Amino acid sequence: MLHEKSSSTRLYDGRIPWVAVVFLASAWVTLADKCHNFTQLQRGDSCHQHWGKLKWHLHPTQSSVGKAWVIQKYEKYMKSKDDAQGELDDKPVPVVLGPNHDMWLLDHHHLLSALDFSGFDDLSVTVNVVCAFDPNESMEQFWVKMQAIHGVYP
């Protein structure tokens, strides 16, 4: 990998050591597994997934969204797939892991509602796990904890 140019100078030939390739490949596979099997996600993890797959695993933490605000987001950010993807790339979605490893939205309810309205199911959404509660606790315990961290919207 390193070739001697002279007795005192060495040049890198551009090849990646096989150990680095194995390490990077295993890290990518681990991340991909976490994004397809949400039961392995932990606090601090980020996951990128197509909206068409991800939306079935997300739950709102506010009881409703304003239709006018969703339409405003739709008209502003969802004119094209490129515009929509650019906005989604700038706004990772913070989530809390709750009972049964379910993901609960902490923000971007309106943006994701506009995305769903757009029909752009093949766009990539990033979720960031900011808090992970015990997946075996009851929904009642979960909501008490969510209120304590101010993660519930009226």
Side-chain angles (χ1 to χ4, degrees):
M1 287 208 243
L2 292 177
H3 298 284
E4 297 216 11
K5 185 175 181 183
S6 69
S7 60
S8 63
T9 308
R10 300 173 87 179
L11 296 175
Y12 177 64
D13 69 1
R15 292 184 289 170
I16 299 173
W18 69 269
V19 173
V21 171
V22 170
F23 174 76
L24 292 172
S26 67
W28 183 84
V29 167
T30 300
L31 180 59
D33 285 347
K34 284 185 176 185
C35 291
H36 288 61
N37 178 5
F38 300 115
T39 62
Q40 296 182 21
L41 287 173
Q42 302 175 42
R43 182 176 186 250
D45 285 344
S46 287
C47 185
H48 313 282
Q49 183 63 264
H50 284 134
W51 176 242
K53 289 185 178 184
L54 184 62
K55 67 182 176 180
W56 305 110
H57 299 278
L58 294 173
H59 303 281
T61 54
Q62 64 185 52
S63 58
S64 64
V65 292
K67 184 176 180 180
W69 196 245
V70 171
I71 296 301
Q72 185 270 343
K73 296 274 188 188
Y74 172 78
E75 290 174 349
K76 185 173 182 179
Y77 302 119
M78 306 293 159
K79 292 178 183 168
S80 71
K81 285 187 175 186
D82 288 340
D83 289 344
Q85 189 62 67
E87 186 64 16
L88 294 168
D89 290 345
D90 289 342
K91 294 198 169 101
V93 178
V95 298
V96 170
L97 297 178
N100 302 314
H101 303 280
D102 288 340
M103 289 186 284
W104 295 81
L105 297 171
L106 288 178
D107 199 4
H108 303 309
H109 295 76
H110 294 93
L111 179 65
L112 294 179
S113 293
L115 174 61
D116 202 42
F117 184 71
S118 76
F120 297 153
D121 282 355
D122 58 337
L123 296 186
S124 180
V125 175
T126 300
V127 294
N128 291 336
V129 180
V130 298
C131 184
F133 295 124
D134 181 351
N136 299 312
E137 69 189 358
S138 70
M139 288 303 293
E140 183 178 349
Q141 293 168 314
F142 171 73
W143 287 116
V144 167
K145 289 181 179 180
M146 286 293 285
Q147 288 175 338
I149 66 166
H150 306 287
V152 179
Y153 299 92

